[in-house]
Amino acid sequence: MVVDTVREEQAIRQVTERLVENFGGTYSVEYIEGVVGAARRRFAGHPVRTFIPILVERYVRRQLAAAGEVADAVVGPDNARTRRAKHKAESAESGFPAAIRETWSANKRFAPAAVAAVVAALVVVTVVTIALAVRQPSSAPQAAPGVSSLALVRGVVGSEKMSFFQDPKVAEVLARHGVKVEVDAAGSREIATSVDLGKYEFAFPSSEQAAERIQRQRNVSAKYIPFSSPMAIATFTPIADVLAKAGVVHQGPVPTFDMAPYLRMVGNNTRWDQLGDNTAYSVRKNVLISTTDPRSSNSAAMYLAIAGYVANNNTIVQGVSAEQDVIPTVSRLFVGQGYTQSSSEGPFDAYLASGMGPTPLVWIYESQFVDATVRGQIKPDMTLLYPSPTILSRHTLVPFGEAGDRIGRLLSTDPDLQRLAAVHGFRTGDAAQFAAVTTEHKIPVAPDVIDVITTPTFDTLERLLDGVGKSYN
């Protein structure tokens, strides 16, 4: 009997693992384990233990799959009534649920005594089915609401936040609050200029400037800033060493990238093979940071703001004269790159996949590097630099109604969502959360970003971007 119990335990573990693999995208591990445990407890002490894992798995799989089908459909009153009618018809055919009938058919070949025991067990499954169907919410306080009961909220977000919203743990926390969030990705300036926002409940660009434009267009005053991320540069150790010899990179526990000598290099059309003592990357192309398209992406707009500040004698660009003075300098940073992508996910993915050959320097959000490190995508020779000066990009959610407002409040106040934001590399209001993540994964980040400037006004930045856009032509 002990041997049979051990085998049953092993079989139940295997059943649970298969169910988690199949349904983990919809339910939490804890929820699936709870449903398995509830079904199994009804068989305690039953003589046909050999069949219990089979019966438990079939019952739980039917329960989870039925709810999953509802999640995949466009949920509405008509759909719900149709599905209930279908299940009612299936059950009425023989007086048992469909899962019961199939299990009975599969076990007809067993000896009469065993069959009788299975019938008794199946009656218990029917009781479990009814008990689970009518259970009150208070009986399982930790379980997520049924998928069909979740309110769907749609949003458009900067691509650097997609991994956060696609995280099953984030979805699980939101489900506990009764909501399911679906998001599309776009460049932050695209969100503010060309995306049709009418089909979304919220927009979540990567900067206050893009959010301000959206607020003007939609006549919305509300906004939320759940987290932020300083701008940074992803590079490789050999590249950092070469630039350190050239006086651009200053080594230390947290290396920095001096924008002033870099702008002089760009102004002089300096090539990599012209840098002294450079055997690691002696190629015949100009020293340039790879960015996104400034006409569509916030990260490139922040790069433009920093470069404009340095080109304007370390002063925020203000006024028509200053704008005209810096446009020729900052335009070279973009036009010389050739084709650029519209969102920050593109160049960073190329950095991760292709190595330093095509992308020796990539302009990114710090959060992207931290997130990739946590997920094990950063190789030993990859390193992070902080531009000096830099800008803190404050990811700003603009709601278009009560549903979007609710998401903004949850992202800003729910402790689990704030903790998960830190896991994905974002800095929240609690600095200890970010520090815990970077310490655990040994990521050399700046604990406090000090050399930070503010961006130009919304209108000034728009005129600078227009000037750069004309340079492309």
Side-chain angles (χ1 to χ4, degrees):
M1 188 67 177
V2 173
V3 174
D4 288 343
T5 302
V6 171
R7 289 176 178 172
E8 179 188 338
E9 291 291 339
Q10 293 174 341
I12 289 292
R13 281 199 298 272
Q14 294 170 353
V15 165
T16 305
E17 289 171 358
R18 286 196 296 271
L19 292 168
V20 169
E21 181 178 355
N22 292 154
F23 300 98
T26 304
Y27 300 94
S28 69
V29 175
E30 292 78 10
Y31 181 79
I32 295 173
E33 290 174 345
V35 177
V36 171
R40 184 188 176 194
R41 281 192 294 274
R42 297 295 191 269
F43 294 92
H46 202 280
V48 287
R49 307 197 68 83
T50 303
F51 310 130
I52 289 175
I54 299 173
L55 300 175
V56 169
E57 181 174 8
R58 290 191 176 186
Y59 167 71
V60 176
R61 188 174 291 276
R62 295 300 189 282
Q63 292 292 309
L64 298 180
E69 290 173 8
V70 174
D72 291 338
V74 179
V75 177
D78 292 339
N79 292 338
R81 282 194 293 270
T82 300
R83 184 164 297 283
R84 283 196 296 270
K86 179 181 178 183
H87 280 284
K88 183 176 180 181
E90 290 176 346
S91 299
E93 181 179 340
S94 65
F96 291 102
I100 303 288
R101 297 198 314 273
E102 290 181 18
T103 307
W104 166 257
S105 176
N107 290 285
K108 284 181 180 178
R109 64 182 180 277
F110 295 114
V115 170
V118 171
V119 170
L122 291 177
V123 172
V124 176
V125 173
T126 304
V127 174
V128 173
T129 302
I130 297 172
L132 290 177
V134 300
R135 72 188 187 280
Q136 298 300 317
S138 58
S139 67
Q142 297 301 318
V147 175
S148 61
S149 67
L150 300 181
L152 178 62
V153 183
R154 300 196 69 229
V156 57
V157 306
S159 62
E160 70 289 332
K161 291 184 282 291
M162 286 299 289
S163 65
F164 172 78
F165 281 102
Q166 292 171 345
D167 187 339
K169 294 179 180 178
V170 171
E172 181 182 338
V173 176
L174 291 169
R176 290 206 301 264
H177 292 280
V179 293
K180 176 182 178 180
V181 175
E182 292 183 354
V183 294
D184 295 326
S188 291
R189 293 200 73 252
E190 276 186 316
I191 297 174
T193 57
S194 59
V195 170
D196 177 12
L197 299 178
K199 58 184 179 180
Y200 299 107
E201 279 77 41
F202 68 89
F204 199 179
S206 307
S207 73
E208 290 179 285
Q209 289 72 30
E212 179 185 346
R213 181 164 184 164
I214 295 169
Q215 288 177 289
R216 289 185 183 181
Q217 293 172 339
R218 304 277 298 190
N219 194 25
V220 175
S221 59
K223 68 178 181 181
Y224 296 89
I225 306 177
F227 36 74
S228 62
S229 181
M231 305 311 303
I233 300 168
T235 188
F236 300 84
T237 302
I239 298 296
D241 291 341
V242 168
L243 292 176
K245 296 171 185 176
V248 176
V249 170
H250 303 294
Q251 300 283 18
V254 180
T256 58
F257 184 97
D258 195 335
M259 291 294 293
Y262 167 68
L263 288 184
R264 289 194 290 271
M265 277 187 178
V266 175
N268 295 329
N269 292 317
T270 304
R271 299 196 313 262
W272 287 99
D273 63 350
Q274 293 173 329
L275 299 180
D277 194 19
N278 174 15
T279 58
Y281 194 71
S282 183
V283 297
R284 294 173 60 97
K285 64 180 182 181
N286 289 358
V287 178
L288 276 176
I289 298 173
S290 298
T291 72
T292 49
D293 190 328
R295 296 166 293 184
S296 61
S297 171
N298 173 71
S299 62
M302 297 300 97
Y303 179 52
L304 167 61
I306 293 171
Y309 176 90
V310 175
N312 195 40
N313 297 317
N314 293 320
T315 305
I316 295 175
V317 177
Q318 186 176 6
V320 176
S321 177
E323 293 167 10
Q324 295 303 315
D325 286 343
V326 302
I327 284 175
T329 300
V330 298
S331 294
R332 299 170 72 102
L333 302 173
F334 299 101
V335 177
Q337 294 183 55
Y339 170 75
T340 51
Q341 300 190 57
S342 62
S343 64
S344 57
E345 187 178 28
F348 187 62
D349 285 347
Y351 165 81
L352 294 174
S354 304
M356 70 180 183
T359 53
L361 296 164
V362 182
W363 188 262
I364 63 169
Y365 297 98
E366 174 197 62
S367 60
Q368 292 177 282
F369 195 92
V370 175
D371 181 39
T373 304
V374 170
R375 291 193 285 171
Q377 296 176 312
I378 297 298
K379 300 178 178 65
D381 65 337
M382 294 177 171
T383 190
L384 186 69
L385 306 175
Y386 287 88
S388 178
T390 190
I391 282 178
L392 190 65
S393 186
R394 291 156 62 85
H395 298 260
T396 306
L397 185 148
V398 180
F400 304 140
E402 175 55 34
D405 195 74
R406 185 181 184 188
I407 300 304
R409 290 197 308 271
L410 287 174
L411 292 175
S412 302
T413 61
D414 184 273
D416 289 330
L417 291 175
Q418 288 274 288
R419 177 183 56 80
L420 289 168
V423 171
H424 284 272
F426 297 104
R427 296 180 183 242
T428 67
D430 185 357
Q433 293 175 323
F434 182 76
V437 172
T438 55
T439 299
E440 178 185 354
H441 295 276
K442 298 180 175 59
I443 310 172
V445 299
D448 298 300
V449 183
I450 299 173
D451 191 6
V452 176
I453 65 170
T454 58
T455 59
T457 65
F458 175 82
D459 293 329
T460 296
L461 187 57
E462 287 297 298
R463 286 192 290 269
L464 290 175
L465 289 166
D466 287 342
V468 171
K470 292 176 182 177
S471 299
Y472 278 95
N473 299 325

